[in-house]
Amino acid sequence: MARNPTETREKLLDAFDTLLDEHGTSGTTLDAVAAKAGVSKGGLLYHFGSKAELIKGSLERLDRLVAEDVEEMKAAGDRLHYYYLETSAEVGTPLDRSLIAAGCLALENDDARAALRKTREAWFDTLNEHLGDADLAMTIQLIGDGMYFNQNFGLSQDEALEHVKRILTRLGL
């Protein structure tokens, strides 16, 4: 087991999130998580005493990653909406893996559904504050959703982001 408890917790959460994506909730057992993380089951139980605690840890990490993403969005200044769209098509990032895990959990878990709602609200609120137009903020968010969906399912078109940027430029954004 890693000597750094935070590092071990993150390895366990990484394993949990990966297994959720690969096998769904039924295939994501404590034994499987421990094995995937390279940690003994006792080590897993030291950090997370149950699957419910793993779920809670995963959703807390999503919340933290979204808060970090919102801060990065704000740091983009006038390009905030472009930052949102550019990062919407990123896959394989810690935030992406957390979103996928929460999506898997949301099929059966009210807390996961609430976490995803909170995520969307945080992004929407940030876009709306920046753009000053709720309809435009929602449109940008929905475009980002489509880009994310297409990227995650291998349907992305290389020119999609450039197309969106050309349209936004024509709209004066």
Side-chain angles (χ1 to χ4, degrees):
M1 178 168 30
R3 293 179 187 241
N4 181 338
T6 302
E7 182 181 314
T8 301
R9 281 181 62 85
E10 289 300 310
K11 280 177 58 175
L12 289 163
L13 290 171
D14 288 343
F16 181 67
D17 289 353
T18 299
L19 288 168
L20 283 168
D21 183 30
E22 293 173 354
H23 303 290
T25 55
S26 62
T28 305
T29 64
L30 294 179
D31 289 327
V33 172
K36 180 91 171 166
V39 174
S40 69
K41 188 169 181 182
L44 167 79
L45 293 172
Y46 173 79
H47 292 282
F48 300 99
S50 66
K51 193 170 183 179
E53 287 186 30
L54 267 169
I55 291 169
K56 181 180 176 191
S58 179
L59 297 177
E60 286 172 349
R61 179 164 69 169
L62 173 62
D63 190 51
R64 178 177 44 83
L65 292 171
V66 170
E68 291 170 6
D69 189 55
V70 165
E71 289 308 311
E72 290 179 27
M73 285 173 69
K74 290 177 180 179
D78 290 343
R79 293 196 77 257
L80 185 148
H81 53 292
Y82 285 112
Y83 171 91
Y84 178 79
L85 292 168
E86 290 163 356
T87 60
S88 289
E90 292 180 348
V91 295
T93 66
L95 178 55
D96 173 51
R97 288 189 300 275
S98 285
L99 284 168
I100 290 170
C104 292
L105 291 168
L107 298 171
E108 303 171 7
N109 184 289
D110 290 338
D111 291 338
R113 282 189 289 279
L116 289 173
R117 259 190 309 280
K118 182 179 176 185
T119 294
R120 290 193 52 72
E121 289 168 2
W123 285 329
F124 172 80
D125 290 347
T126 304
L127 286 165
N128 189 33
E129 182 180 310
H130 168 67
L131 296 167
D133 181 329
D135 293 330
L136 185 55
M138 180 61 68
T139 300
I140 297 292
Q141 189 169 33
L142 291 170
I143 291 169
D145 289 349
M147 293 174 64
Y148 182 74
F149 177 87
N150 284 339
Q151 190 67 28
N152 268 290
F153 291 99
L155 306 172
S156 182
Q157 297 171 324
D158 293 338
E159 67 277 356
L161 181 59
E162 291 309 313
H163 168 79
V164 170
K165 286 180 176 181
R166 282 193 307 275
I167 295 300
L168 292 177
T169 299
R170 288 195 334 224
L171 293 172
L173 297 172

